[in-house]
């Protein structure tokens, strides 16, 4: 962390010790990564999180003492953590506004408390502690550099006298790992940035000048440089600013805002402080965000510029394209000069390159010596064809005239389809980020294999058929799994040649080419290059070949390439899904006993490769539908009956992906696939077990499927697989399947027989979040049964469940709150939850931004309040807790409203608490919800109103807020629970005469009379009591009239 902050963090020019972090994208990336590290530290490294820093991290915070809840001793201006060191000193101490933190556990909790302001807190902490590693580990670490290895750290610590040497060593290594991660991550971030240079900046300014002047139709009134002097490198900024990457400064006068003083730099364009009044000097300090270019900046700052620019957009774009065409010859000349550099200068260039990397933040204006032929799909909307022909076409025509015509066709197809692909792919949900296209450095110290591959590719380009086959065989002798070899083929134009060979009539050349493409297409960059070069449509066509070896190789290569969305789209658009499904039809004419011999034939291998390709393609919803419509499910079901594991893994993998859709789940039941999934759970192959469990997890949303899993004996192998915790991916799949199967009570009984509950409790600690989410979900379902609640309590499961309440994973919080709520039904468990401060933690989750977490926490609070010994006092002890609950009635989420109404029902049983929530305005908020059609909300709302009537003039207030008439309509619902709750609410409201009149006017009497005969005793009594009150009022009115 120290090295990353020293090398990469961008500080203001105020000087060391007093400067602040600039508001730059790079700094934001650094801070966010540090926050993620701190947030997860308490879960990933619970023991190391307790390590006490040598010196506290101290800074000025914007947090108020009221933000701190459980685990802290809070006063008006100070906060102390209950966690203390061996001397009894708190590990977190806040004395507004100064805060001191001395452990990662407290840092993690502080980040959680800070919520939306955590980025500002992290910035303040880093600014006040410029070398945090020294504060954490001691002054010996002030000299820590990039070369510090784990062994060096170990030596430093073990040579000291501290008692906590082992823990200190672990923390030091974790910090070193963070340092390396920050360096690598920010480097990849920097490489993604598009940097400006003086030439396009100058041309943009000249273009804007030509569109500026007096008149309403011009885009600007004026745009001028602040300096007329231009340096040889094209910059106009002073040399001491050029080293900071600044190019020039311009004064822009839009039509509708004041004059803007703008800095154009390699980072982008931003507003500076303008010219000073005294000496006319520029205040270079950045005053806002960084924009990618001048036009984007001005569109954001001036509405008039944006409006006029939209009218001139076509003309402006044409002028920009002309400039780009003019620049093309210059680029070719520059490339020729770079290529002409002699080998004797290589070592010098390597040194320059190293220096360039180290100082890339300040020396970006130096020319790069890297040869790049990157195809940027994002820019193809305006210049796709031109860029392709400029970067690839010309060179290939010179080097290999014999295949230039086919190559040009591929390029045209690729460019013409690019815009189409982008617009189509945006409709699918699962977008995959495309990584930056890395090229080998022209002056890097490359291995000898790189140059040998170059020579072989030349033979591929210019040789006859025999030479081509020999070159292909020679290429296969290299280690094609090595990234250097993969990129070497790509960098010297080998990919284009290999793809062109697929379009020939020579089978041997096709096989050789596909074998190489199959190996190198595991590389994500190569995958995207193959798609860019139009390779996938050719491979899809090969699937129709009569040669089975060609079909296999093409399908396997498609399986490798179709790892991202655009590739999957291309396969579908060219009819690839239907062709791949047809490859599965290998056993149509084979009888069951002859299956063993069938697997030795080439047909089986074709089917396996087809299943592999479908597995990759099935990650897209549209492809899943295409597979189903092509008749893929019956064929997959038939292949699932085999014992050939290499076949089973892709088949089950495809089914697992597709089972997320309801149509597929119905078809899976119809084809009796569950039986075979259960059978394969007993396989020795861990990967097959994982995919079978995952498929069951997806399918077990349906009750019938859950019953089938039980009937076919699938619960026992699932329970036994819980004991194997080494393979975390398989464990996550198995726990997920158990969770979904546990929704059925019959399955829960079986899991109890197989001792699965005890094993699940043991998995509540030291497991990844994916496993914890499923374990808590399974326990939440199992603990609906009393016997299982007892098992969880006796196995010590309450404490780890409560500990998980401090997490941030939304799915985990939903499941763990449900599990705790289920356990709280048992009074003995409730005592433990209360002792561990679990109720306070549940209450704090009502502030969570996610509605599902809020609702789940509120549901869990209901049994806690019901079964706590002194529930009323416990609820009042939470500062601001009752106001928080009442304010949640303003939510738009029906589940949140239902759960909060249920919580208010339990809170209102205590008279003092009822008085408090009445003062907070619970009556008008409940009345506002009365006009709902949701039966679940109706039931809990009616119960809340019934209990809230017990205080003061709340009955009258409900009538005044028009809550009575909507309640009468609830009696027409088909839900008996709604009838009972509504009748009880109406009974309480009928104590007020005006409410009785409203009920009578809205036809309540007739509806209540029908319910007096209900078999539900509570409903009978409430309905009869309400009718009685209405009748008494009528008699009293009649009596008064005669008197």
């Amino acid at each position: 962390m120290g090295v990353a902050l020293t090398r990469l963090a961008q500080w203001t020019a105020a000087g060391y010790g007093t400067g602040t972090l600039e508001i730059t994208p790079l700094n934001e990336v650094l801070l966010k990564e540090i926050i993620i590290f701190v947030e997860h530290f308490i879960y990933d490294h619970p023991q190391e999180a307790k390590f006490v820093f040598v010196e506290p991290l101290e800074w000025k915070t914007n947090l108020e003492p009221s933000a701190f809840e459980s685990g802290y001793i809070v006063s008006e201006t100070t906060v102390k953590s209950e966690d203390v060191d061996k001397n009894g000193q708190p590990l977190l101490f806040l004395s507004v506004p100064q805060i001191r933190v001395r452990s990662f556990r407290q840092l993690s909790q502080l980040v959680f408390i800070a919520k939306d302001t955590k980025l500002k807190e992290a910035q303040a902490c880093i600014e006040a502690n410029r070398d945090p590693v020294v504060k954490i580990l001691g002054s010996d670490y002030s000299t820590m550099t990039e070369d510090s290895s784990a062994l060096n750290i170990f030596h430093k610590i073990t040579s000291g006298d501290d008692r906590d040497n082992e823990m200190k060593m672990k923390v030091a290594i974790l910090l070193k790992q963070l340092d390396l991660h920050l360096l690598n991550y920010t480097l990849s971030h920097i490489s993604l940035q598009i940097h400006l240079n003086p030439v396009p900046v100058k041309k943009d300014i000249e273009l804007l000048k030509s569109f500026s002047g007096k008149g309403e139709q011009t885009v600007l009134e004026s745009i001028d440089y602040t300096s007329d002097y231009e340096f040889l490198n094209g910059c106009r900024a002073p040399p001491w600013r050029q080293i900071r990457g600044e190019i020039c400064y311009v004064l822009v006068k839009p039509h509708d805002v004041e004059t803007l003083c703008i800095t154009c730099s390699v980072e982008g364009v931003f507003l500076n402080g303008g010219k000073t009044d005294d000496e006319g000097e520029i205040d270079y300090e950045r005053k806002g965000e960084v924009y990618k270019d001048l036009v984007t900046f001005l569109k954001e700052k001036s509405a008039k510029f944006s409006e006029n620019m939209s009218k001139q957009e076509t003309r402006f774009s044409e002028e920009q394209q002309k400039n780009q065409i003019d620049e093309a010859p210059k680029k070719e000349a520059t490339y020729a000069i770079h290529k002409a550099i002699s080998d004797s200068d290589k070592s010098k260039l390597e040194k320059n390159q190293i220096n360039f990397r180290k100082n890339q933040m300040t020396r970006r204006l130096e020319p790069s010596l890297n040869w790049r032929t990157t195809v940027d799909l994002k820019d193809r909307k305006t210049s796709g064809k031109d860029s392709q022909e400029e970067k690839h076409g010309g060179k290939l025509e010179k080097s290999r005239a014999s295949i230039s015509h086919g190559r040009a066709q591929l390029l045209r197809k690729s460019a013409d389809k690019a815009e189409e692909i982008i617009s189509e792919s945006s409709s699918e949900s699962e977008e995959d980020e495309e990584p930056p296209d890395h090229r080998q450095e022209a002056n890097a110290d490359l291995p000898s294999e790189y140059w040998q591959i170059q020579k072989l590719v030349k033979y591929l380009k210019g040789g006859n058929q025999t030479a081509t086959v020999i070159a292909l065989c020679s290429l296969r002798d290299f280690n094609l799994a090595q990234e250097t070899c993969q990129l070497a083929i790509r960098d010297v134009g080998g990919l284009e040649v290999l793809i062109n060979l697929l379009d020939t009539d020579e089978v041997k050349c096709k096989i050789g080419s596909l074998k190489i493409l199959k190996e190198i297409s595991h590389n994500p960059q190569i995958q995207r290059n193959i798609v860019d070069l139009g390779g996938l449509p050719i491979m899809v066509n090969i699937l129709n070949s009569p040669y089975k070896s060609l079909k296999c190789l093409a399908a396997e290569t498609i399986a490798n390439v179709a790892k991202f969305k655009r590739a999957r789209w291309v396969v579908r658009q060219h009819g690839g899904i239907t062709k791949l499904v047809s490859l599965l039809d290998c056993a149509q004419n084979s009888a069951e006993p002859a299956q063993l011999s069938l697997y030795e034939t080439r047909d089986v291998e074709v089917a396996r490769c087809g299943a592999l390709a479908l597995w990759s393609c099935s990650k897209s919803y549209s492809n899943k539908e295409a597979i189903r419509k092509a008749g893929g499910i019956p064929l997959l079901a038939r292949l699932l009956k085999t014992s050939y594991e290499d076949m089973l893994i892709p088949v089950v993998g495809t089914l697992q992906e597709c089972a997320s859709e309801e149509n597929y789940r119905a078809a899976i039941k119809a084809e009796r696939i569950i039986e075979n999934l259960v059978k394969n759970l007993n396989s020795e192959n861990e990967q097959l077990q994982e995919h079978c469990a995952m498929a069951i997890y997806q399918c077990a949303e349906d009750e019938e499927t859950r019953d089938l899993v039980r009937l076919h004996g699938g619960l026992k192998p699932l329970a036994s697989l819980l004991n194997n915790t080494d393979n975390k991916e398989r464990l996550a799949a198995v726990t997920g399947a158990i969770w979904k199967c546990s929704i059925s009570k019959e399955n829960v009984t079986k899991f109890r027989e197989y001792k699965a509950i005890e094993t699940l409790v043991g998995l509540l600690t030291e497991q990844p979040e994916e496993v914890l989410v499923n374990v808590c979900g399974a326990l939440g379902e199992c603990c609906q049964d009393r016997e299982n609640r007892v098992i969880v309590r006796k196995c010590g499961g309450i404490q780890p469940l409560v500990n998980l309440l401090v997490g941030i994973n939304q799915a985990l919080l939903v499941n763990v709150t449900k599990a705790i709520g289920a356990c709280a039904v048992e009074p003995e468990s409730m005592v433990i939850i209360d002792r561990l401060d679990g109720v306070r933690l549940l209450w704090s989750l009502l502030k969570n931004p996610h509605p599902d977490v809020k609702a789940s926490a509120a549901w869990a609070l209901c049994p806690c309040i019901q079964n706590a010994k002194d529930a009323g006092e416990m609820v009042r002890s939470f500062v601001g807790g009752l106001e928080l609950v009442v304010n949640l009635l303003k939510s738009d989420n029906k589940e949140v409203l239902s759960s909060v109404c249920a919580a208010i029902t339990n809170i209102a049983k205590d008279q003092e608490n009822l008085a408090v929530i009445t003062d907070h305005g619970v009556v008008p908020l409940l009345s506002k919800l009365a006009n709902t059609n949701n039966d679940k909300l109706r039931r809990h709302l009616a119960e809340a109103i019934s209990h809230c009537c017990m205080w003061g003039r709340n009955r009258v207030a409900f009538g005044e807020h028009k809550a009575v008439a909507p309640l009468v309509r609830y009696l027409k619902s088909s839900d008996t629970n709604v009838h009972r709750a509504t009748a009880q609410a109406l009974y309480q409201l009928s104590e007020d005469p005006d409410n009785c009149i409203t009920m009578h006017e809205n036809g309540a009497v007739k509806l209540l009379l029908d319910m007096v005969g209900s078999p539900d005793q509570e409903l009978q009594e409430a309905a009869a009591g309400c009718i009685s009150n209405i009748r008494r009022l009528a008699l009293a009115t009649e009596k008064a009239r005669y008197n």
Side-chain angles (χ1 to χ4, degrees), residues 556 583-584 603-613 644 646-647 650:
E556 280 194 274
L583 297 185
L584 303 179
D603 288 340
V604 178
E605 184 62 15
V606 171
R608 185 189 71 82
C609 296
L612 269 175
Y644 182 40
D646 287 343
M647 173 79 82

Side-chain angles (χ1 to χ4, degrees), residues 786 789-790 793 798 821-835 863-864 866-869:
R786 182 186 171 280
R789 291 196 290 270
V790 174
R793 174 170 54 80
I798 305 295
C823 290
V825 173
E826 189 192 32
E828 292 88 346
S829 297
M830 183 55 219
V831 172
I832 302 171
I833 293 169
D834 193 18
R835 188 178 71 244
C864 290
Q866 285 173 354
N867 295 293
K869 283 187 177 178

Side-chain angles (χ1 to χ4, degrees), residues 344-358:
S344 60
D345 292 333
K346 276 190 177 179
S347 60
K348 193 183 293 182
L349 290 176
E350 285 174 11
K351 291 179 183 176
N352 290 342
Q353 186 67 13
I354 292 165
N355 292 333
F356 174 76
R357 282 181 191 159
K358 288 184 177 177

Side-chain angles (χ1 to χ4, degrees), residues 2 21 132 194 208 213 234-235 287 312 420 431 521 553 565 581 593 638 707 870 908 920 942 984 1015 1022:
L21 285 170
I194 300 171
L208 287 170
C235 295
K287 302 297 181 184
Q312 306 274 5
E420 212 179 312
E431 180 58 79
S521 59
L553 290 168
K565 188 169 75 175
V581 169
R638 191 170 65 199
D707 293 339
D870 191 356
H920 286 309
Q984 289 170 339

Side-chain angles (χ1 to χ4, degrees), residues 751-752 754-763 779 791-792 795:
F751 282 132
R752 185 166 63 246
Y754 302 140
K755 306 293 183 185
I757 314 297
E758 293 88 336
T759 313
L760 286 169
V761 171
L763 295 173
L779 288 175
I791 292 171
V792 170
C795 290

Side-chain angles (χ1 to χ4, degrees), residues 1025-1042:
C1026 184
I1027 293 169
S1028 173
N1029 287 339
I1030 294 170
R1031 183 60 186 153
R1032 281 198 194 96
L1033 176 64
L1035 288 171
T1037 305
E1038 192 176 341
K1039 186 176 180 181
R1041 187 186 302 165
Y1042 285 109

